[in-house]
Amino acid sequence: MRTYVGHQQAISAEDFVELALGTPVELWLGEEGESEEERAARRDAARDILADSPHLADDVSRVAAELIELHPELVNVVPLARPSGRRRASRKGAAA
């Protein structure tokens, strides 16, 4: 199954995120071996982007959730057990 964002094919999880958000993953996660100066510049750029796009954090969360749901094989995710549907007894009004 192929995944497209707009007219571009996303081959990897990184491609999907970059195409969906319009920024490279490395901007947010950094790169191995980056200098303190490179890190400071990257973080300044990220702050500017966040200031211009206040909803970006919500978009990132949504995209990550969609990616995990659609392609769990691309990420190392262990599914959590779903609740059985039983509700805990409320302590409010329980006899002491």
Side-chain angles (χ1 to χ4, degrees), residues 27-94:
L27 176 67
W28 309 104
L29 302 179
E31 294 189 61
E32 189 173 331
E34 72 182 358
S35 69
E36 286 300 317
E37 186 175 297
E38 291 169 326
R39 181 174 186 247
R42 177 180 57 77
R43 293 180 74 185
D44 284 344
R47 270 192 289 278
D48 289 345
I49 290 170
L50 289 172
D52 291 342
S53 305
H55 300 291
L56 186 59
D58 291 336
D59 292 343
V60 169
S61 299
R62 180 184 46 75
V63 168
E66 288 174 8
L67 174 66
I68 291 167
E69 186 175 317
L70 294 174
H71 298 286
E73 73 279 3
L74 295 176
V75 292
N76 187 14
V77 175
V78 177
L80 298 175
R82 298 223 181 245
S84 64
R86 287 189 239 153
R87 293 186 179 190
R88 293 173 131 186
S90 174
R91 293 184 158 229
K92 195 179 193 178

